[in-house]
C-alpha cells in the first residue's frame, strides 16, 4: 500500500503553528514511507476563506522546506458537486434522509441545540431514543416526490439507534462513543444543499485515496462522525493519528486572538529564524525520536519519524508575553542559535545577506574584494546570535560606522572609570604602531600597555569592546580587533574617549 497523506488547512487566516506542525508531521511521514504528501485547501467557508490566507499557507510551507506536494493542490470548494452527489446517493440507499423541517422551526439554532443537548442527555441517562425526527422514516418515494416538488430540505445521516461508534487512533488509542451521543448529523444544508464539513472531508479523503489522517486532536470528536460517513459510503476508514494540542504556558490553547503573532508561522520567518532550525523545533513539539536528541538534520528527522513516537500529552509552548527577550519559546530561540552557530557558513551567508539587504547594510564588496573579510566577520559574530536579525542589530557596528551604543554598556564599561578618557587615546596610539596586525600581536600589545600604565587588562578589554562594537558582550576582543583592522579600531578607541 502506498502511503498517502494530506495537509488540509482552512485558509481563514495566518498559518497557525499547530497547523504547520500537522503539515510537517504529514510530510515527514510521507517522506519516511516513500508515500505521497498532498495539500488540500479547505475553502468551503466562502465568507472566511481568502486568497491571501491561501498564499500565506503556501509561502509558509515553502519556507519550511515542505512545499513539494506530490500532486496538484486540491481546492475543496471545487468538489461540492461530488459531496452533494454522495449525500444524495445515501438517501437512495436509505442511509440518509431528507429533513423537511421548516426553517422557522429551526430558526433559533441555539434553542435547537439546547433541545438536542437535553434530549441527548436524557437519552444517555434513560436510554430513550432521541431520534424523533418525523422525516427520518419517510418512505423514499414520498421523500423524492417532495424533494422534486421543490420543498426545501436538509440531508441528515441516519445514525443507528443502538450501538457504538469506535475507531483506533494511533496516538490516543481506541475511541468509543455511544450512538445515542451522536445526532443525525446534517450532510447538506437546507436551501442551497451546500455540503457540511464532515461530509466534504470524508468524500475528499476517499477521492484522494488518503491512507492516514494526521491532524490536530481537536478533530477527535469529528472523527466519530466521519467514521459513520465512511461506513455509510461503504469505504474502509483510513488510519487516524491525532496530534496533541500546543498550549500556552498557562495551559490555554494557543490562539492568535489571545497570544498574538507568536502563534503565526510567518512571524518566525520575519523575525530571522533559520527554516531548518524552526522545522527541527516544530518536529519536537509533540513528537520525540525515543531518546533525548534534539538537533537533527532533515534526513535524521525523516528516518526516525514514526506515528508511534507522537506524544499523547499536550505540548507547552514556553514564552513570556511580558519579556521581549522571551517573546517566543526559549527552546526555539536556543535551537535557532545552535543552527546559526554551527551550520555551514556558505548556507548561512545568503540568509545574512538578505537580512543585511533589508536593513540597508549590504555592500557588493562583500561578495567581491571584501569577501574573505566578510565571511570571517560573520563567522566570528554568529557565535552569540539568536536570530538573523542580530546580524543587523548587535552586528551593525561591524558593518557600518553608523551604529548605536548600548547605554548600559557605556555606563558599565566607559563611564565608570574616568581615567579611560585619557587611556583610550593612548591605547589607540600604542596599537597604531603594532606590526603586523593580528589577534596575537594586538593581545601582546594591549597587555603590555596595561602593565605599563598599571591598569588591569580587563578594563582595557571591556572598554575597547564597547568602544568598537557599542556592546558589553561579544566575541573574544582580540578577534574583534583583528576583524576591525587597525585604522577602524584606533579611530573607535579615540572616538569613544568622548563618551567617558
Ligand atoms: N480544515 C481542517 C482544519 O484546518 C482540517 C481538517 C482535517 O485535517 O481533516 O482544522
Amino acid at each position: 500500500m502506498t502511503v498517502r497523506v494530506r495537509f488540509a488547512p482552512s485558509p481563514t487566516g495566518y498559518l497557525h503553528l499547530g497547523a504547520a506542525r500537522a503539515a510537517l508531521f504529514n510530510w515527514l511521514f510521507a517522506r519516511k514511507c516513500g508515500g505521497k504528501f498532498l495539500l488540500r485547501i479547505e475553502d468551503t467557508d466562502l465568507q472566511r476563506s481568502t486568497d491571501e490566507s491561501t498564499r500565506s499557507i503556501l509561502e509558509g510551507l515553502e519556507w519550511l522546506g515542505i512545499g513539494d506536494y506530490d500532486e496538484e493542490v486540491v481546492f475543496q470548494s471545487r468538489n461540492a458537486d461530488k459531496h452533494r452527489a454522495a449525500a444524495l446517493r445515501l438517501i437512495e440507499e436509505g442511509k440518509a434522509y431528507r429533513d423537511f423541517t421548516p426553517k422557522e422551526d429551526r430558526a433559533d439554532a441555539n434553542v435547537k441545540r439546547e433541545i438536542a443537548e437535553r434530549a441527548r442527555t436524557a437519552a444517555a441517562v434513560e436510554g430513550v431514543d432521541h431520534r424523533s425526527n418525523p422525516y427520518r422514516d419517510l418512505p423514499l418515494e414520498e421523500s423524492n416526490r417532495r424533494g422534486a416538488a421543490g420543498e426545501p430540505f436538509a440531508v441528515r445521516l441516519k445514525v443507528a439507534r443502538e450501538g457504538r461508534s469506535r475507531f483506533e487512533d494511533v496516538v490516543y488509542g481506541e475511541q468509543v462513543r455511544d450512538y445515542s451521543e451522536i445526532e443525525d448529523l446534517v450532510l447538506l444544508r437546507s436551501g442551497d444543499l451546500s455540503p457540511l464539513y464532515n461530509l466534504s472531508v470524508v468524500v475528499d479523503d476517499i477521492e484522494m485515496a488518503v491512507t492516514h489522517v494526521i491532524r490536530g486532536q481537536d478533530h477527535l470528536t469529528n472523527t466519530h462522525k466521519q467514521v459513520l460517513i465512511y461506513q455509510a459510503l461503504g469505504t474502509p476508514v483510513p488510519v487516524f493519528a491525532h496530534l496533541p494540542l500546543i498550549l500556552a504556558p498557562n495551559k490555554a490553547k494557543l490562539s492568535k486572538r489571545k497570544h498574538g503573532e507568536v502563534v503565526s508561522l510567518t512571524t518566525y520567518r520575519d523575525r530571522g529564524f533559520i527554516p531548518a532550525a524552526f522545522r527541527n523545533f516544530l518536529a519536537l513539539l509533540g513528537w520525540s525520536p525515543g531518546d533525548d536528541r534534539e538537533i537533527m538534520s532533515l534526513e535524521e528527522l525523516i528516518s526516525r519519524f514514526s506515528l508511534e513516537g507522537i506524544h499523547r500529552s499536550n505540548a507547552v509552548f514556553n514564552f513570556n508575553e511580558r519579556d521581549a527577550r522571551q517573546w517566543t519559546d526559549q527552546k526555539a530561540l536556543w535551537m535557532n542559535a545552535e543552527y546559526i552557530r554551527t551550520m555551514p557558513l556558505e548556507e548561512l551567508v545568503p540568509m545574512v545577506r538578505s537580512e543585511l539587504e533589508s536593513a540597508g547594510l549590504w555592500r557588493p564588496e562583500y561578495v567581491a574584494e571584501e569577501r574573505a573579510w566578510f565571511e570571517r566577520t560573520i563567522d566570528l559574530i554568529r557565535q552569540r546570535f539568536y536570530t538573523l536579525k542580530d546580524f543587523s542589530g548587535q552586528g551593525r557596528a561591524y558593518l557600518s560606522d553608523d551604529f548605536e551604543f548600548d547605554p548600559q554598556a557605556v555606563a558599565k564599561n566607559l563611564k565608570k572609570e574616568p581615567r579611560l578618557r585619557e587611556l583610550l587615546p593612548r591605547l589607540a596610539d600604542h596599537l597604531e604602531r603594532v606590526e603586523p596586525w593580528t589577534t596575537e600581536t594586538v593581545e601582546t600589545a594591549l597587555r603590555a600597555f596595561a602593565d605599563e600604565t598599571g591598569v588591569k587588562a580587563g578594563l582595557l578589554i571591556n572598554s575597547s569592546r564597547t568602544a568598537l562594537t557599542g556592546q558589553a558582550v561579544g566575541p573574544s576582543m582580540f578577534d574583534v580587533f583583528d576583524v576591525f583592522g587597525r585604522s577602524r579600531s584606533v579611530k573607535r578607541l579615540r572616538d569613544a574617549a568622548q563618551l567617558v
Side-chain angles (χ1 to χ4, degrees):
M1 175 190 66
T2 309
V3 163
R4 292 171 63 88
V5 293
R6 85 307 194 268
F7 171 50
S10 307
T12 51
Y14 60 99
L15 183 53
H16 185 286
L17 287 186
R21 183 206 40 185
L24 177 61
F25 283 19
N26 275 288
W27 186 90
L28 287 171
F29 187 63
R31 294 296 169 259
K32 157 122 191 188
C33 304
K36 303 277 185 218
F37 172 65
L38 315 174
L39 177 66
R40 180 171 74 229
I41 302 290
E42 303 210 317
D43 57 345
T44 45
D45 184 341
L46 297 175
Q47 251 98 58
R48 293 176 60 227
S49 299
T50 64
D51 290 344
E52 194 198 333
S53 169
T54 300
R55 247 193 324 275
S56 97
I57 291 169
L58 298 177
E59 273 176 29
L61 298 182
E62 198 63 44
W63 181 74
L64 275 180
I66 59 173
D68 54 343
Y69 337 110
D70 294 304
E71 289 173 12
E72 207 134 300
V73 179
V74 171
F75 288 86
Q76 187 159 64
S77 62
R78 296 181 195 163
N79 292 345
D81 284 340
K82 287 182 191 153
H83 308 155
R84 234 181 326 269
L88 296 175
R89 181 159 65 81
L90 291 181
I91 298 180
E92 290 303 316
E93 294 173 0
K95 293 172 182 162
Y97 61 95
R98 291 188 185 83
D99 178 2
F100 294 102
T101 309
K103 261 229 165 79
E104 47 279 17
D105 289 0
R106 340 187 191 103
D108 190 335
N110 288 330
V111 171
K112 198 186 114 217
R113 218 171 294 132
E114 203 178 302
I115 292 170
E117 195 51 51
R118 254 187 264 141
R120 220 183 345 258
T121 320
V125 173
E126 300 161 24
V128 178
D129 174 41
H130 67 278
R131 289 179 220 290
S132 50
N133 191 312
Y135 300 101
R136 187 176 152 105
D137 296 312
L138 204 63
L140 185 59
E141 297 85 85
E142 188 185 342
S143 166
N144 284 346
R145 188 176 46 73
R146 290 173 67 165
E151 192 176 334
F153 61 87
V155 176
R156 287 182 182 272
L157 188 72
K158 248 188 220 178
V159 179
R161 287 176 201 271
E162 276 164 27
R164 293 166 139 196
S165 132
R166 58 178 82 228
F167 67 90
E168 190 67 30
D169 187 87
V170 177
V171 179
Y172 291 92
E174 189 183 37
Q175 304 291 308
V176 183
R177 209 156 167 206
D178 218 274
Y179 284 151
S180 66
E181 291 172 48
I182 306 174
E183 58 177 354
D184 280 354
L185 50 135
V186 177
L187 302 177
L188 302 181
R189 281 188 193 86
S190 173
D192 63 358
L193 293 186
S194 54
L196 269 98
Y197 169 71
N198 285 309
L199 175 70
S200 301
V201 168
V202 171
V203 174
D204 283 350
D205 280 341
I206 293 172
E207 168 100 0
M208 291 163 78
V210 167
T211 58
H212 294 70
V213 170
I214 305 168
R215 62 183 168 198
Q217 189 245 47
D218 44 336
H219 285 287
L220 260 182
T221 330
N222 280 328
T223 308
H224 282 287
K225 299 179 182 168
Q226 294 176 12
V227 166
L228 294 176
I229 300 175
Y230 276 103
Q231 288 166 347
L233 292 170
T235 313
V237 297
V239 174
F240 293 104
H242 285 86
L243 311 177
L245 297 176
I246 303 177
L247 304 178
N250 68 357
K251 306 283 163 19
K253 213 175 141 179
L254 257 198
S255 81
K256 180 138 174 178
R257 196 170 43 77
K258 272 194 262 148
H259 304 104
E261 299 294 326
V262 70
V263 305
S264 165
L265 184 75
T266 40
T267 300
Y268 296 85
R269 178 195 64 195
D270 299 343
R271 295 190 66 160
F273 271 72
I274 306 288
F278 201 66
R279 188 171 60 207
N280 191 161
F281 168 75
L282 272 186
L284 294 175
L285 220 46
W287 169 78
S288 68
D291 53 31
D292 46 19
R293 280 288 302 282
E294 297 201 291
I295 303 284
M296 278 178 279
S297 70
L298 190 56
E299 293 67 36
E300 285 172 297
L301 286 174
I302 293 172
S303 71
R304 303 194 62 177
F305 188 79
S306 75
L307 299 181
E308 289 69 31
I310 296 173
H311 304 164
R312 240 182 237 204
S313 48
N314 292 327
V316 177
F317 197 71
N318 276 313
F319 63 103
N320 182 347
E321 285 160 289
R322 267 165 267 121
D323 181 348
R325 278 167 312 172
Q326 299 184 34
W327 67 273
T328 187
D329 192 281
Q330 293 306 287
K331 186 159 146 190
L333 284 168
W334 165 79
M335 202 168 259
N336 204 48
E338 280 297 297
Y339 271 77
I340 287 182
R341 198 168 65 73
T342 59
M343 68 196 285
L345 199 59
E346 64 271 22
E347 286 172 28
L348 178 65
V349 164
M351 299 187 201
V352 174
R353 175 177 176 162
S354 337
E355 171 55 29
L356 297 182
E357 279 171 345
S358 54
L361 288 174
W362 175 256
R363 296 181 34 226
E365 292 87 326
Y366 295 159
V367 280
E369 66 271 24
E370 289 180 21
R371 182 177 172 156
W373 174 83
F374 179 72
E375 291 182 359
R376 189 153 46 94
T377 303
I378 296 307
D379 196 22
L380 179 67
I381 61 182
R382 69 168 165 164
Q383 304 300 331
R384 291 173 159 266
F385 286 176
Y386 283 91
T387 72
L388 292 169
K389 292 279 161 209
D390 291 336
F391 287 93
S392 59
Q394 295 172 48
R396 189 179 178 98
Y398 290 80
L399 305 166
S400 166
D401 290 328
D402 172 22
F403 67 96
E404 280 175 16
F405 285 85
D406 168 9
Q408 283 177 357
V410 172
K412 179 165 164 249
N413 289 337
L414 295 175
K415 287 201 191 298
K416 249 200 200 149
E417 177 49 84
R419 277 184 298 167
L420 287 170
R421 197 191 315 256
E422 174 235 339
L423 283 170
L424 287 176
R426 279 179 60 199
L427 174 63
D429 294 344
H430 191 79
L431 295 183
E432 205 158 31
R433 291 191 292 272
V434 169
E435 193 63 61
W437 183 267
T438 68
T439 310
E440 295 75 26
T441 55
V442 172
E443 175 163 10
T444 312
L446 183 141
R447 293 194 189 281
F449 180 75
D451 287 347
E452 208 173 283
T453 48
V455 297
K456 289 211 172 96
L459 174 71
L460 299 175
I461 291 171
N462 290 336
S463 55
S464 298
R465 175 171 294 113
T466 302
L468 269 64
T469 69
Q471 313 280 318
V473 290
S476 153
M477 194 52 211
F478 302 109
D479 289 330
V480 175
F481 275 122
D482 183 33
V483 301
F484 268 84
R486 184 198 316 273
S487 63
R488 280 172 89 206
S489 298
V490 298
K491 178 167 187 324
R492 288 204 184 174
L493 288 176
R494 286 178 183 137
D495 290 350
Q498 317 297 320
L499 297 172
V500 177

